[in-house]
């Protein structure tokens, strides 16, 4: 039985083993360097530790091993990688993220890579080929059958984010004139059915798709019945060029386990399965979360410090520029701030509330756009709704913040006016934040960019600069 906590327990034990090894090195006067992110050699391992590490790897699922490897510094990762069975290398390379995969591939020699990749299915090889050295890729392709080579070329010819790049070539097909009894005999000849086989696909002699036949229908109907009499014809089919995101939404909407992939000529070329769809949903979620702050979702958390720093320069530079713009807005109102010092303490409140409101709208729009729910026809309705929501929130929280400001500064003689300025500024900036939060992903999509990419950075710039400008302009007007 597999325990969901296996990976966590294994990681804790692996880290403990490496900590003990490091202590032993320190005691023996061979202290290891602490800049793990810059090291490329594996940690020296004692025979006792080697046996335990090998045992841990043997009992873990490949996905769990991949998760553990991603959580280890580079030298410890390479040390553990040495104790993974060679027959499981390929499965683990598929599971780890791109940054970690590069470090593992660099640590393997040519023969090890070839042996690892040859254990994989064609669609999995297609996922790895871009990361493999050209000579390894060529040797792997030479070892494939003509049909497998054709499948590999087909998978690699489709865009990275398409159904064709994700589809599986392993499937069961039957003819519509066959009986259910003969279909059962055909299924029994398989040593094991392809993973996630919930149905077989019905095709004609030319390989054209005709429908599907679920395993449940095969079992509950009499063996003498003909396939065409019990098969389902009105079923979802996908094109190899369909977006993987759209396919994932279809799987979620119709609760599918697998779906046929049919080319323009109507021929069945593969199938998409739920395990791939889950990967798509997870990857898109990660991309949105990391993209919002300008990070690469495939980055290794233990990659080179220098490379990691450089990868963050762009958005940090953008943020610095926007911060200077916001500071210039503030400096333009030095006279007003010197008259009413309380303004300096209240400005961050106005900007912070608007930023939170804008982020709520931004997150909602990005998610809805990913689900295909925001279209050209309903954009005006979405913008109108978000503006009204912001107006209601702006009035309510503007009144609350205004009353609090009046109460805090009531003894200064400026409390009433400060409270009113706070009310107006809070209301207007919350509305501005919502409008910007809705506009940023829409504009990015119109420009052909990822709607989530850097959205929070741009939103913060607008709500900070806009909030300071609105608040200080109103203060200048009322405190002349």
């Amino acid at each position: 039985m597999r325990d969901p906590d296996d990976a966590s327990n294994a990681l804790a034990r692996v880290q403990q083993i490496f900590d003990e090894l490091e202590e032993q090195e320190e005691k023996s006067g061979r202290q290891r360097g602490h800049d793990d992110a810059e090291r490329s050699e594996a940690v020296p391992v004692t025979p006792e530790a080697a046996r335990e590490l090998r045992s841990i790897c043997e009992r873990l699922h490949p996905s769990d091993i991949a998760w553990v490897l991603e959580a280890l510094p580079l030298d410890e990762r390479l040390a553990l990688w040495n104790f993974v069975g060679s027959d499981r290398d390929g499965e683990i390379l598929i599971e780890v993220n791109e940054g970690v995969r590069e470090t593992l591939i660099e640590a393997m020699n040519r023969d090890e890579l070839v042996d690892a990749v040859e254990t994989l299915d064609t669609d999995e090889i297609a996922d790895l080929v871009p990361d493999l050295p050209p000579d390894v890729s060529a040797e792997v392709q030479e070892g494939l059958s003509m049909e497998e080579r054709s499948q590999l070329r087909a998978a690699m010819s489709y865009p990275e984010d398409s159904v064709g790049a994700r589809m599986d070539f392993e499937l069961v097909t039957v003819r519509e004139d066959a009986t259910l009894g003969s279909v059962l005999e055909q299924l029994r000849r398989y040593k094991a059915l392809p993973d996630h086989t919930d149905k077989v696909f019905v095709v004609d002699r030319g390989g054209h798709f005709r429908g599907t036949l679920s395993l449940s229908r095969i079992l509950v109907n009499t063996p003498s019945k003909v396939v065409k009499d019990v098969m389902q014809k009105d079923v979802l089919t996908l094109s190899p060029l369909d977006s993987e995101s759209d396919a994932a939404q279809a799987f979620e909407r119709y609760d599918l386990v697998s779906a046929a992939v049919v080319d323009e000529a109507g021929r069945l070329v593969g199938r998409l399965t739920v395990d791939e769809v889950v990967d798509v949903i997870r990857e898109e979620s990660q991309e949105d979360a990391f993209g919002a702050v300008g990070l690469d979702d495939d980055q290794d958390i233990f990659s080179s410090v220098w490379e990691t720093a450089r990868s963050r320069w762009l958005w940090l530079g953008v943020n610095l520029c926007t911060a200077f713009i916001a500071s210039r807005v503030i400096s333009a109102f030095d006279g007003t701030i010197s008259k009413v010092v309380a303004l300096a303490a209240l400005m961050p409140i106005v900007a912070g509330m608007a930023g939170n409101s804008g982020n709520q709208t931004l997150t909602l729009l990005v998610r809805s756009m990913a689900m295909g729910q925001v279209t050209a026809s309903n954009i005006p309705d979405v913008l109108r709704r978000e503006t009204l929501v912001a107006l209601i929130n702006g009035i309510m929280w503007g009144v609350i913040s205004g009353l609090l400001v009046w109460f805090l500064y009531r003894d200064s003689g400026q409390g009433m006016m400060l409270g009113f300025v706070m009310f107006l500024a809070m209301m207007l900036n919350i509305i501005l934040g919502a409008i910007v939060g809705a506009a940023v992903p829409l504009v990015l999509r119109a420009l052909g960019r990822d709607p989530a990419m850097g959205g929070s950075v741009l939103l913060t710039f607008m709500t900070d600069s806009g909030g300071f400008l609105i608040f200080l302009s109103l203060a200048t007007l009322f405190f002349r």
Side-chain angles (χ1 to χ4, degrees):
M1 298 293 292
R2 188 173 298 136
D3 188 331
D5 293 328
D6 277 351
S8 299
N9 296 334
L11 174 60
R13 180 54 189 151
V14 167
Q15 290 172 328
Q16 184 181 7
I17 291 173
F18 285 124
D19 287 343
E20 292 170 355
L21 290 171
E22 185 172 2
E23 290 177 4
Q24 292 174 15
E25 286 186 75
E26 291 174 355
K27 289 179 180 178
S28 61
R30 299 190 302 275
Q31 184 170 355
R32 182 159 52 96
H34 292 288
D35 191 5
D36 291 336
E38 300 294 343
R39 293 173 62 86
S40 59
E41 65 273 10
V43 178
V45 179
T46 63
E48 296 79 8
R51 282 193 294 271
E52 185 169 0
L53 290 173
R54 187 174 289 107
S55 174
I56 290 172
C57 292
E58 286 175 354
R59 68 173 182 263
L60 284 180
H61 187 275
S63 298
D64 292 335
I65 298 176
W67 184 81
V68 171
L69 290 168
E70 290 174 353
L72 293 175
L74 183 56
D75 55 346
E76 295 178 4
R77 178 187 303 156
L78 296 180
L80 183 64
W81 183 237
N82 290 331
F83 300 106
V84 174
S86 58
D87 58 326
R88 309 174 78 193
D89 286 351
E91 295 177 275
I92 296 169
L93 288 174
I94 286 291
E95 295 293 338
V96 295
N97 70 41
E98 195 170 312
V100 174
R101 184 185 301 152
E102 290 176 1
T103 66
L104 299 180
I105 288 177
E106 288 175 3
M108 300 172 70
N109 61 43
R110 186 172 181 275
D111 292 337
E112 288 174 335
L113 277 173
V114 172
D115 291 342
V117 177
E118 285 180 340
T119 65
L120 301 175
D121 296 331
T122 310
D123 56 310
E124 294 173 327
I125 295 175
D127 292 336
L128 278 184
V129 163
D131 299 318
L132 296 175
D135 58 332
V136 172
S137 177
E139 184 171 344
V140 169
Q141 293 185 53
E142 287 177 6
L144 300 176
S145 66
M146 290 297 293
E147 181 183 8
E148 289 172 332
R149 286 186 203 175
S150 176
Q151 292 173 350
L152 181 60
R153 285 194 295 269
M156 294 175 61
S157 68
Y158 296 115
E160 185 179 355
D161 58 351
S162 68
V163 169
R166 293 276 186 177
M167 67 182 176
D168 183 6
F169 296 100
E170 284 193 66
L171 46 81
V172 180
T173 60
V174 298
R175 298 280 178 81
E176 56 186 342
D177 56 353
T179 64
L180 297 186
S182 64
V183 172
L184 276 171
E185 287 298 324
Q186 178 181 339
L187 294 177
R188 290 192 184 102
R189 285 196 290 270
Y190 283 86
K191 292 182 179 179
L193 292 176
D195 290 340
H196 306 291
T197 297
D198 65 318
K199 60 176 73 77
V200 297
F201 299 93
V202 184
V203 295
D204 62 15
R205 293 181 180 277
H208 296 90
F209 180 73
R210 295 302 182 201
T212 63
L213 179 62
S214 66
L215 297 186
S216 61
R217 291 199 177 194
I218 298 174
L219 295 174
V220 300
N221 284 283
T222 57
S224 59
K225 283 193 174 181
V226 179
V227 168
K228 65 181 178 181
D229 294 332
V230 294
M231 72 180 189
Q232 294 172 279
K233 298 180 180 179
D234 185 18
V235 295
L236 173 76
T237 59
L238 301 170
S239 165
L241 296 176
D242 283 345
S243 163
E244 62 180 18
S245 180
D246 293 341
Q249 292 172 33
F251 267 67
E252 182 181 10
R253 188 177 304 125
Y254 302 119
D255 297 325
L256 299 175
V257 175
S258 64
V261 182
V262 180
D263 65 14
E264 294 180 354
R267 288 187 296 268
L268 179 68
V269 292
R271 63 173 183 147
L272 187 66
T273 55
V274 67
D275 58 328
E276 288 291 339
V277 169
V278 171
D279 287 342
V280 170
I281 295 171
R282 175 181 54 80
E283 290 168 9
E284 289 185 344
S285 177
Q286 289 179 344
E287 286 174 6
D288 289 346
F290 283 94
V293 291
L295 290 178
D296 180 3
D297 61 299
D298 282 326
Q299 195 174 74
D300 177 8
I301 62 173
F302 293 106
S303 62
S304 164
V305 172
W306 176 247
E307 291 178 3
T308 302
R310 283 195 306 170
S311 70
R312 301 181 186 182
W313 283 353
L314 173 61
W315 288 105
L316 288 175
V318 171
N319 204 22
L320 178 63
C321 293
T322 60
F324 268 105
I325 293 173
S327 72
R328 298 307 301 165
V329 171
I330 295 172
S331 65
F333 295 91
D334 285 344
T336 303
I337 296 174
S338 63
K339 286 182 184 179
V340 187
V341 179
L343 295 174
L346 297 175
M347 283 190 301
I349 300 175
V350 176
M353 286 291 289
N356 193 14
S357 171
N359 266 315
Q360 291 172 343
T361 301
L362 176 70
T363 302
L364 176 66
L365 261 290
V366 169
R367 180 56 181 162
S368 299
M369 291 167 71
M371 296 292 292
Q373 295 171 334
V374 177
T375 62
S377 61
N378 66 17
I379 285 176
D381 294 328
V382 172
L383 293 176
R384 189 182 307 112
R385 175 186 176 278
E386 287 302 311
T387 303
L388 289 174
V389 170
L391 176 61
I392 293 171
N393 283 334
I395 292 173
M396 185 179 76
W397 294 105
V399 168
I400 292 173
S401 60
L403 289 174
L404 288 172
V405 169
W406 167 77
F407 177 77
L408 292 172
Y409 295 95
R410 66 188 184 282
D411 296 333
S412 67
Q414 298 174 325
M416 182 67 73
M417 191 65 72
L418 266 176
F420 184 64
V421 169
M422 189 68 173
F423 160 70
L424 287 178
M426 183 72 74
M427 179 183 68
L428 293 175
N429 206 29
I430 285 179
I431 294 173
L432 173 65
I435 293 173
V436 172
V440 165
L442 292 173
V443 171
L444 288 174
R445 185 174 72 170
L447 295 175
R449 306 299 298 274
D450 182 358
M453 180 57 70
S456 63
V457 177
L458 299 174
L459 176 65
T460 300
F461 161 61
M462 293 301 297
T463 54
D464 283 358
S465 301
F468 296 154
L469 180 63
I470 292 170
F471 185 50
L472 295 175
S473 296
L474 289 172
T476 302
L477 179 64
F478 285 98
F479 287 97
R480 282 185 300 183

